[in-house]
Amino acid sequence: MPSDDPRLLRLHSGDNILIVARSLPAGAVLSVGGAQVRHAEPLPLGFKIAARDIKAGEKIVKYTTSVGSATRDIALGEVVHLHNMKSDYIPTWTREQGSGHEH
Amino acid sequence: MSTNSTSPLIRSDAFLRPDGRKGIRNIVVVAYLVECGHHVAREIAWRFREQEVHLIGFSGCYPNAYAYRMMKTLCTHPNVGGSLFISLGCESFDRRNLVKEVRESGRPAEVLVIQQEGGTQKTIAAGVEKVKALRALADQCPRAPMHIHELIVGTVCGGSDATSGIAANPGIGHAFDLMVSDGAACIFEETGELIGCEAVLEARAATPELAKILHESVDKAAKYYGIMGHGSFAPGNAEGGLTTIEEKSLGAYAKSGTGPIHGYLKPADVPPTGGLYLLDVVPDGEVRFGFPNINDTQEIGELIACGSHAILFASGRGSVVGSAISPVIKVTGNPETYARMEGDMDVNAGRLLEGTATLPDIGREIRDLTMAVAAGKRSKSEELLHQEFVMVYKSFEPIGPGCLPVVR
């Protein structure tokens, strides 16, 4: 399945996210949906990138299946992860919570 | 297992056990029956660590029917040719019946009670002699041809990252499809990592009764983990790009391949015939003893108790574990992990992400390596003498009607 950028993997045409197919250093510019999006932070292999604008509350769709919901509006090209989506089943636990250091 | 001898030959010299089952390894097990016997058992087994003598055990002093059944099933596993049990003497484990039942399977079994032997040194000395004798007996095991319909393969994933669900797990799923169509029994598990996949699982069930059982097993896992307050999701999963339990599930689910699901097992239930099985490791009843899977090794032990001759382990982040009793074959979907940890990884499914292999290529490679390991080739974790083992307290109801396929 082609995506706009060879460094991004589109798993299925109906998905609203793309997968980073190789780790990218800080400052990488990705072309997503016709736009050029610069990422200040490094992008590790396997991270998710919004394939289009996603509204708060919308399902995040990977491989045709919902993997959770957006907790705020997510712009095209943005990283989709703990900071802007959540599980619809069981909240995700982070080490910082375990040590009492909320982030 | 069925008597179909027309399925592909794996090897002509499998270990033929007195109960008719066939093994791909000939392990002598040293098993402690309470933590108090752990050191003595380890000292005995350590002396034979390169002679297929593996250490297993159960730490608890309180009785537990699950632990008894696990221990009995592991010590009568087709890969096991003899067992030495190390008891302190005052623990609850029913060592007399255990030895009796293992001997009834036609395998040699011995027990040493530390309090009766006269302490640590005497028990170690006696144990070393017992293991020498057990090793010699096991080495006399008759050999016989083994076909793929007599093979059971389990799969687990651990240290998952986003590549697990894209490359390693679908690769294993493809290998499962190939092996099931050749007649093998293949077992996937982790109902806690199938949360969100209930509907697709149900649709693949071979019968309507089984569909309902599969759905209920995932509901049970969601409820159980909900009470525990954690999903089966470690911080490393998020660092690897997975955000939620359902995203991890989606990847874990891919290990099951695409074929129909023929049966549903609980730990220590052995598939009666070839096909694809779901193993439910989440305890029944109210939440009592803690997490259903404290770590990957515990799940591997349960897959082996279900008769798995070999385990396919998908690890994106890079787990190094092997196992007592059955070889573990490690598959990583992450090309960076493979490059960094090649000494531990058997298959680089990350070639899929690099565009140098297709999913069917990876699936065939995993299937071919599984056959080679079944024929005697050592996996990397075996070469490195990994022999991890963990058993905890659990409770299960026996499986009910509709769980297993009808054997014709």
Side-chain angles (χ1 to χ4, degrees):
Chain A
M1 192 65 58
S3 78
D4 304 348
D5 192 307
R7 298 164 296 176
L8 296 174
L9 205 61
R10 182 183 281 280
L11 295 175
H12 194 272
S13 55
D15 293 356
N16 56 12
I17 52 105
L18 304 167
I19 303 292
V20 177
R22 70 194 69 149
S23 294
L24 301 173
V29 179
L30 297 173
S31 73
V32 188
Q36 301 295 307
V37 183
R38 185 177 181 279
H39 284 267
E41 301 290 324
L43 287 175
L45 167 69
F47 273 55
K48 295 179 287 299
I49 299 289
R52 58 171 174 77
D53 289 333
I54 300 170
K55 294 267 173 247
E58 239 187 284
K59 300 292 183 195
I60 306 300
V61 181
K62 177 178 176 180
Y63 254 151
T64 75
T65 304
S66 168
V67 295
S69 305
T71 50
R72 60 171 176 76
D73 290 350
I74 303 172
L76 169 95
E78 210 185 316
V79 169
V80 180
H81 203 15
L82 294 163
H83 62 292
N84 55 15
M85 71 168 286
K86 65 170 182 61
S87 170
D88 294 326
Y89 286 81
I90 300 170
T92 300
W93 177 259
T94 63
R95 282 200 191 95
E96 290 74 14
Q97 286 169 283
S99 60
H101 296 88
E102 298 283 343
H103 62 154
Chain B
M1 308 299 280
S2 76
T3 51
N4 167 20
S5 60
T6 56
S7 74
L9 182 72
I10 300 171
R11 62 190 289 173
S12 55
D13 61 347
F15 300 94
L16 177 63
R17 305 302 173 193
D19 54 10
R21 296 162 81 197
K22 291 168 192 168
I24 63 166
R25 295 291 184 272
N26 196 22
I27 308 297
V28 169
V29 154
V30 179
Y32 56 92
L33 302 181
V34 62
E35 183 59 24
C36 320
H38 191 161
H39 172 77
V40 167
R42 181 173 49 219
E43 285 291 317
I44 296 165
W46 184 260
R47 287 158 168 77
F48 303 91
R49 63 194 286 260
E50 293 187 36
Q51 297 169 51
E52 305 231 282
V53 174
H54 292 180
L55 177 69
I56 67 171
F58 181 65
S59 280
C61 189
Y62 295 89
N64 184 249
Y66 157 86
Y68 181 87
R69 186 156 178 257
M70 282 286 291
M71 190 65 86
K72 184 185 90 176
T73 315
L74 289 166
C75 294
T76 54
H77 188 283
N79 285 354
V80 173
S83 303
L84 171 64
F85 301 109
I86 301 298
S87 159
L88 175 63
C90 43
E91 75 276 6
S92 301
F93 213 108
D94 185 354
R95 61 177 181 267
R96 287 184 189 84
N97 270 312
L98 181 64
V99 173
K100 181 170 160 277
E101 291 198 278
V102 174
R103 284 182 181 159
E104 280 167 3
S105 83
R107 289 166 179 77
E110 298 287 342
V111 64
L112 289 172
V113 180
I114 297 171
Q115 290 164 350
Q116 291 170 9
E117 291 297 317
T120 301
Q121 284 178 321
K122 287 175 185 165
T123 313
I124 292 171
V128 167
E129 293 311 311
K130 294 271 190 209
V131 170
K132 280 182 192 162
L134 287 165
R135 182 71 271 165
L137 278 172
D139 289 343
Q140 290 164 20
C141 179
R143 304 297 192 99
M146 179 173 176
H147 294 81
I148 194 166
H149 69 275
E150 298 169 299
L151 184 74
I152 305 177
V153 181
T155 187
V156 65
C157 50
S160 296
D161 67 9
T163 70
S164 300
I166 298 164
N169 292 342
I172 289 174
H174 199 272
F176 261 30
D177 287 346
L178 295 173
M179 292 189 287
V180 168
S181 79
D182 273 343
C186 290
I187 310 173
F188 69 110
E189 51 95 55
E190 295 173 309
T191 49
E193 295 180 6
L194 294 170
I195 294 169
C197 303
E198 305 88 275
V200 275
L201 271 180
E202 217 175 353
R204 288 173 58 194
T207 65
E209 295 88 342
L210 184 61
K212 186 164 172 280
I213 291 163
L214 296 179
H215 195 128
E216 285 168 357
S217 74
V218 180
D219 288 347
K220 180 178 80 169
K223 188 169 164 238
Y224 198 104
Y225 282 100
I227 292 168
M228 296 303 290
H230 287 275
S232 176
F233 195 99
N237 296 140
E239 287 155 13
L242 293 174
T243 312
T244 63
I245 182 63
E246 53 268 45
E247 184 178 11
K248 186 176 171 184
S249 293
L250 179 64
Y253 167 74
K255 294 199 299 303
S256 66
T258 57
I261 300 169
H262 300 97
Y264 164 86
L265 309 170
K266 290 180 183 176
D269 294 330
V270 177
T273 184
L276 180 64
Y277 294 81
L278 172 65
L279 165 62
D280 182 0
V281 304
V282 177
D284 295 319
E286 59 189 89
V287 174
R288 273 201 283 187
F289 299 120
F291 291 104
N293 52 337
I294 61 165
N295 52 38
D296 301 325
T297 294
Q298 184 202 326
E299 294 169 72
I300 291 172
E302 291 175 320
L303 284 163
I304 295 171
C306 292
S308 298
H309 292 91
I311 302 293
L312 301 177
F313 187 144
S315 185
R317 305 287 286 169
S319 171
V320 301
V321 305
S323 179
I325 299 174
S326 294
V328 173
I329 297 166
K330 289 207 289 298
V331 180
T332 184
N334 189 326
E336 295 168 7
T337 298
Y338 187 82
R340 204 167 49 240
M341 299 177 68
E342 196 183 337
D344 288 280
M345 297 296 154
D346 294 282
V347 176
N348 178 14
R351 292 185 292 128
L352 196 68
L353 295 179
E354 296 171 327
T356 57
T358 65
L359 192 59
D361 293 337
I362 303 286
R364 277 191 298 270
E365 183 182 334
I366 295 169
R367 188 266 316 264
D368 292 347
L369 181 59
T370 307
M371 294 303 122
V373 167
K377 179 186 165 78
R378 282 152 71 91
S379 71
K380 287 193 174 165
S381 53
E382 276 187 301
E383 287 287 354
L384 295 165
L385 298 175
H386 277 282
Q387 293 163 16
E388 286 83 349
F389 184 83
V390 168
M391 200 196 299
V392 299
Y393 281 96
K394 281 193 176 186
S395 57
F396 284 94
E397 300 295 330
I399 53 170
C403 292
L404 297 177
V406 178
V407 183
R408 290 182 184 84

